Amino acid sequence: MKLPSRVKLVEVGPRDGLQNEKQPVPAAIKIELVHRLQAAGLKEIEVTSYVSPKWVPQMADNHEVMGGIQRQSGIRYSVLTPNLKGFEAAVLDKPDEIVVFGAASEAFSQKNINCSIAESIERFAPVVQAALAAGIAVRGAMSCTVGCPYEGEIAPERVGYLAGLMKGIGVQRVDVADTIGVGTPRKVQAALEVTLQHFGIDDVSGHFHDTYGQALSNTLAALEMGIWNFQSSVAGLGGCPYAKGATGNVATEDVVYLLHGMNIDTGIDLDALVDAGAYISEQLGRPSGSRVARALLAKRAG
Ligand code: HMG
Ligand code: MG
């Protein structure tokens, strides 16, 4: 077993995290969160999505948020675009990367983006082409790669099928997402293995939600396979509006603590990250979902 010596984290809190908040979060707070995350050393930040405001009202301020960020060089700012309409809106704000998002489960595809898996790929193809032609990087998110809220367990072959379709339309790298956080290490490894038949090890990332408290174990299981890209959410924010009961992504603070404890470099300043998490938790009026953040804040207070 050879673990990677460094890990790249894509911070998805501003998007995957805040998309699920019931009360509106003002754009100024989202912008300040992004600023604090980049100050903490995050090099990739998923900022917002260009989806229907009727479906996800919380992301309706996408232009305001993207326009308000003071960008730093060397940081990749990514956004979700489900179709050409979304891409055309996104491109005005000059993202470094766009994300098309599909699902390994038919039922989730219908609930989340209102079309079948095959139709989603047809919609994504021109988006991918347009992005690549404009010099914008393209990532593909693959939801429900272990389990689906509507269909239950998902076989690895279905993940492999989706990964092949994503590769076929020119997607450059993919996220293997356990959307509802039901995965355990062997199941997550199986989903990663089939994805690695289509994408190289540098182009596959783990996106684990922590609903059942398995996300750190799953992260370690992925590291053991050589996976070194992960998505996480500061303070463990979030969930998907179309995956009821699913909690947020694994907390970025928890992943960073795990990695630093194993001498794996992230380039992230954990103290500054805890401050960013404390900021957004205070704005949302609840304690952080990160165990590490709570422990470190208690230690500071003591
Ligand atoms: P639809 O209703 O099938 O779309 O929705 P349509 O093309 O038939 O258009 C219907 C209306 O939506 C029209 O407006 C369009 O203009 C508008 P109307 O004429 O009724 O006023 N519309 C749009 N507006 C803004 N931006 C757009 C857009 N497209 C159409 N891009 C659609 C299809 C995909 C738009 C819809 O289903 C949608 O917005 N879904 C939201 C999905 C979403 O954001 N889910 C959460 C993110 S995925 C996630 O969290 C999982 C992930 O983290 C990985 C994991 O954990 O699994 C990535
Ligand atoms: Mg997610």
Side-chain angles (χ1 to χ4, degrees):
M1 186 221 310
K2 193 176 176 303
L3 294 172
S5 58
R6 74 181 169 107
V7 154
K8 176 96 77 66
L9 292 179
V10 181
E11 170 60 47
V12 298
R15 195 284 305 169
D16 204 350
L18 297 181
Q19 73 178 4
N20 208 34
E21 288 299 320
K22 295 288 171 286
Q23 78 273 33
V25 179
I29 291 174
K30 297 175 180 174
I31 293 164
E32 176 64 19
L33 176 62
V34 171
H35 289 162
R36 287 174 185 243
L37 290 166
Q38 61 192 20
L42 268 310
K43 293 288 179 233
E44 294 205 31
I45 304 176
E46 203 174 88
V47 178
T48 187
S49 54
Y50 296 78
V51 298
S52 163
K54 285 181 195 147
W55 285 61
V56 185
Q58 195 62 258
M59 297 286 109
D61 58 2
N62 41 33
H63 290 302
E64 196 182 345
V65 174
M66 279 295 277
I69 295 168
Q70 284 173 14
R71 294 205 194 183
Q72 285 177 4
S73 65
I75 299 187
R76 180 177 281 205
Y77 302 90
S78 56
V79 302
L80 267 59
T81 56
N83 52 20
L84 267 179
K85 186 177 169 81
F87 176 76
E88 279 156 12
V91 88
L92 302 173
D93 297 327
K94 300 188 168 49
D96 299 303
E97 180 177 60
I98 56 107
V99 184
V100 291
F101 50 107
S105 139
E106 281 294 348
F108 190 80
S109 181
Q110 289 289 352
K111 297 274 187 193
N112 194 41
I113 51 175
N114 205 25
C115 63
S116 69
I117 295 171
E119 284 163 347
S120 75
I121 294 294
E122 275 172 38
R123 287 184 194 177
F124 299 156
V127 175
V128 173
Q129 272 176 24
L132 295 177
I136 300 170
V138 177
R139 180 152 54 86
M142 305 196 296
S143 289
C144 298
T145 61
V146 183
C148 166
Y150 312 103
E151 291 183 20
E153 200 152 326
I154 297 294
E157 298 76 63
R158 296 168 64 190
V159 180
Y161 171 69
L162 178 64
L165 293 176
M166 289 264 186
K167 185 75 186 180
I169 57 169
V171 167
Q172 295 169 309
R173 57 179 189 151
V174 284
D175 313 332
V176 176
D178 180 10
T179 312
I180 54 171
V182 290
T184 41
R186 293 278 174 259
K187 288 179 185 172
V188 164
Q189 285 180 334
L192 290 165
E193 257 158 38
V194 291
T195 305
L196 288 167
Q197 290 169 11
H198 301 277
F199 290 88
I201 192 79
D202 298 341
D203 297 324
V204 175
S205 71
H207 177 120
F208 305 135
H209 286 255
D210 203 27
T211 317
Y212 285 77
Q214 306 297 303
L216 283 181
S217 313
N218 294 338
T219 301
L220 183 57
L223 285 168
E224 286 176 355
M225 295 173 66
I227 299 289
W228 64 281
N229 286 277
F230 293 94
Q231 275 129 30
S232 60
S233 184
V234 68
L237 297 174
C240 175
Y242 300 99
K244 288 278 170 277
T247 64
N249 295 78
V250 64
T252 310
E253 297 93 319
D254 296 5
V255 179
V256 169
Y257 181 84
L258 170 80
L259 295 169
H260 290 184
M262 297 172 77
N263 288 324
I264 298 173
D265 183 34
T266 64
I268 292 166
D269 175 344
L270 181 56
D271 276 324
L273 180 64
V274 166
D275 291 338
Y279 166 77
I280 191 64
S281 300
E282 197 185 314
Q283 297 300 325
L284 298 174
R286 59 169 185 262
S288 172
S290 160
R291 301 280 289 266
V292 165
R294 291 205 301 269
L296 290 176
L297 289 168
K299 197 171 159 190
R300 279 186 200 172

